Every structure is written in C-alpha cells, then in structure tokens.
C-alpha cells in the first residue's frame, strides 16, 4: 500500500523537506490556479497576475484581488497543514518550501516556512515603501479603489507576492535549493509542478539522492521520479501518514 510506504519513508527522514503548492490549501477553500475549478479556467493569468498589468492598471488588479483576498483572509488551516506541522515538530521535516502566499502553514504551527512566491498577508507601497497588513487594506477596498498609500497617497500598493515578471526572492530561493541538496526525503504536496523555478526544488533533491513522495489530486510531470505517488486529497492523505508514523 502506498500510504504505508510513504509513512515508512517519512519515518526514515533525517533531513526531510516538503514542497507545497496551492492544492494543500484547496480544502481550506482557497481555489488553486490549475486543475479542476482552478482560477485560470476563469482568468488570463498574465493579465491578472503580472507586474506589467499591475503597473498599467492597479484598479483591475485589485478588483480581482479583492475577492481572492476576502477568501484567503477568512481561510483556516486544514488537516493537511496540521499534519505537516506535526511532521516538523516530530523531527521528520526540517522545513516547508511553499509556493503558497496564504500564510496557512504558519497558522498551522509550522516553524520554518520558506515562501518562494512571497506573502499575501502584507501590502507594500511601491513609491515610499510603507508596509501595511493586507487585512487593513482589505477593509479600505470597500470604499476606495484602487487603495491608496496612507503615507504618500500613491495608488501603487502591491501585495508582497511575486507577480509574473518579477524576480524570485533570492534568499528564499537560495535556502530552498540548499535544503533540497541536503534532503534525504522530499515530500511534494498539492503542486502541479509546472511553475518554475519552484519545480526545480524537488528535481535538485532527487538528483542529490533524495527519495521522493508525491501527493497530488492528479498526475504531475515528476511522478515518474517518485518512489511513492499518491493521487488524493492532501487533507485526507497527510493525516493518515502522520497517524501511521505515530507523530
Ligand atoms: P497549481 O494551482 O498550479 O496546482 C495545484 C495542484 O494541486 C493541481 O495539480 C491540483 O490537481 C492539485 N490539487 C487540488 N486540490 C488538491 C487537494 N485537495 N489535495 C492535493 N492536491 C490538490 O498550484 P501551484 O503548483 O502551487 O502553482 C501555482 C501558483 O499559484 C503558485 O505559484 C502560487 O504562488 C499561486 N497560488 C497560491 C495559492 C495560495 O496561496 N493558496 C492559491 C492559488 C495559487
Ligand atoms: Zn507610499
């Protein structure tokens, strides 16, 4: 059984690493980009999520982001997030590298979370650098569109997420690849593994000798490199693995 094999493998980890994608938060009610019901079946990603279109038209950006923000701010960690936090607490994971910007791993109690695509919990003024909580800006969206900086009045307030056309955060990428090179067990959860360079992380790990487990609702391009592949929902699969290990 693949669940037992996954549990056996995680239990051997001295330097386990997890990579998570939008799928891990789907059961918290946050829509994924790709896959069934994914947002990009509704929007053109480059139009909605590129720095170019943000700068050209912050109002359009915020009108989409307003609804997504409301959902993400109300979301709570699901049993999949909790299971990953339990694995870290029990010493089977050294860190989680995530493509998510929702902050739910931290809410679940995970200590070392490397955010490759930034965080949606904060908003930065591109003119003066003022940082503000997304929850504060979210309240203003009801009366002001686009929202303006409270210090300098600029209309270019951008969530601290990485949009298409922006560089990856260098320190996060460096840490993620370094941990991947040292990993003995690589757990990949809820990622379509088509967004690069995030998808390099498991490749580096496998090349360096890590044994890989892939848990995803549907097949991924890296399934063939994995020792264990489980096609299922992370909020159901991960707690079962934790229960088998006894973590
Ligand atoms: P993705 O949307 O490209 O792929 C999600 C994958 O998860 C799909 O393959 C889907 O089949 C799978 N999935 C859906 N529900 C699942 C479940 N319950 N259990 C397990 N797997 C499930 O996501 P990605 O690979 O992370 O890349 C997309 C980009 O979107 C990322 O760069 C990220 O920054 C951003 N994003 C973030 C959030 C978030 O923060 N929660 C949400 C949407 C998109
Ligand atoms: Zn400002």
């Amino acid at each position: 059984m693949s669940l037992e094999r996954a549990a056996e493998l995680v239990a051997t980890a001295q330097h386990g690493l997890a990579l998570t994608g939008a799928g891990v938060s789907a059961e918290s009610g946050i829509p994924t980009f790709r896959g069934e019901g994914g947002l990009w079946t509704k929007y053109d990603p480059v139009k909605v999520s590129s720095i170019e279109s943000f700068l050209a038209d912050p109002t359009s950006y915020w009108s989409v982001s307003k609804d997504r923000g409301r959902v993400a701010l109300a979301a709570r960690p699901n049993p999949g997030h909790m299971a990953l936090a339990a694995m870290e607490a029990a010493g089977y994971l050294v860190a989680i590298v995530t493509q998510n910007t929702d902050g739910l791993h931290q809410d679940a109690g995970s200590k070392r979370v490397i955010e490759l695509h930034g965080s949606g919990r904060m908003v930065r003024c591109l003119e003066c650098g003022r940082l503000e909580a997304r929850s504060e800006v979210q309240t203003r969206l009801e009366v002001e569109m686009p929202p303006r900086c409270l210090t300098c009045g600029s209309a270019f307030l951008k969530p601290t997420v990485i949009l298409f056309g922006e560089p990856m955060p260098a320190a996060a990428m460096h840490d993620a690849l370094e941990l991947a090179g040292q990993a003995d067990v690589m757990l990949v959860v809820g990622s379509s593994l088509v967004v690069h360079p995030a998808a390099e992380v498991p490749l580096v790990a496998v090349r360096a000798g890590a044994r890989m487990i892939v848990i995803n609702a549907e097949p991924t391009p890296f399934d063939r490199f994995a020792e264990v592949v489980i096609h299922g929902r992370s909020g159901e699969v991960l707690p079962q693995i934790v229960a088998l290990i006894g973590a």
Side-chain angles (χ1 to χ4, degrees):
M1 267 292 289
S2 42
L3 270 176
E4 279 82 11
R5 285 186 57 211
E8 275 168 27
L9 207 50
V10 171
T12 67
Q14 301 284 318
H15 204 280
L17 184 66
L19 173 74
T20 64
V24 87
S25 295
E27 289 156 84
S28 294
I30 302 179
T32 58
F33 277 1
R34 299 171 189 78
E36 214 185 306
L39 282 176
W40 289 356
T41 53
K42 294 182 204 153
Y43 305 115
D44 173 351
V46 178
K47 256 192 198 153
V48 176
S49 295
S50 75
I51 184 70
E52 257 189 7
S53 35
F54 171 81
L55 293 173
D57 182 4
T59 303
S60 291
Y61 175 87
W62 278 106
S63 59
V64 173
S65 185
K66 183 178 170 183
D67 293 341
R68 281 184 57 69
R70 190 184 299 120
V71 171
L73 288 173
R76 292 289 163 263
N78 67 55
H81 296 107
M82 304 308 284
L84 288 168
M87 284 183 194
E88 183 190 28
Y92 299 117
L93 288 180
V94 295
I96 296 175
V97 176
T98 189
Q99 293 167 267
N100 297 345
T101 57
D102 55 36
L104 292 181
H105 286 304
Q106 292 90 331
D107 288 353
S110 288
K111 298 280 180 270
R112 187 162 184 202
V113 182
I114 299 171
E115 295 176 312
L116 291 183
H117 295 162
S119 167
R121 293 271 174 99
M122 301 298 288
V123 172
R124 189 190 305 279
C125 171
L126 298 186
E127 299 285 347
C128 76
R130 182 194 167 104
L131 266 178
E132 203 181 348
R134 168 67 193 244
S135 53
E136 300 292 326
V137 176
Q138 188 71 25
T139 314
R140 292 216 299 286
L141 290 176
E142 300 303 330
V143 290
E144 188 182 46
M145 188 62 89
R148 289 186 177 271
C149 175
L150 296 177
T151 300
C152 76
S154 166
F156 295 102
L157 295 191
K158 191 184 84 62
T160 55
V161 298
I162 309 299
L163 298 179
F164 284 103
E166 289 192 291
M168 297 286 287
M173 204 59 216
H174 171 270
D175 288 357
L177 292 175
E178 190 170 76
L179 289 169
Q182 299 160 351
D184 51 3
V185 173
M186 180 78 227
L187 182 61
V188 181
V189 192
S191 174
S192 58
L193 292 173
V194 298
V195 180
H196 287 261
E200 312 297 332
V201 171
L203 281 186
V204 166
V206 167
R207 263 190 232 121
R211 299 161 82 189
M212 181 159 70
I213 303 166
V214 173
I215 300 168
N216 203 61
E218 55 192 16
T220 79
F222 293 178
D223 286 4
R224 61 202 162 103
F225 304 125
E227 195 159 318
V228 184
V229 176
I230 302 177
H231 291 147
R233 290 154 68 92
S234 51
E236 292 163 9
V237 173
L238 288 169
Q240 291 181 56
I241 292 174
V242 165
L244 285 168
I245 308 171

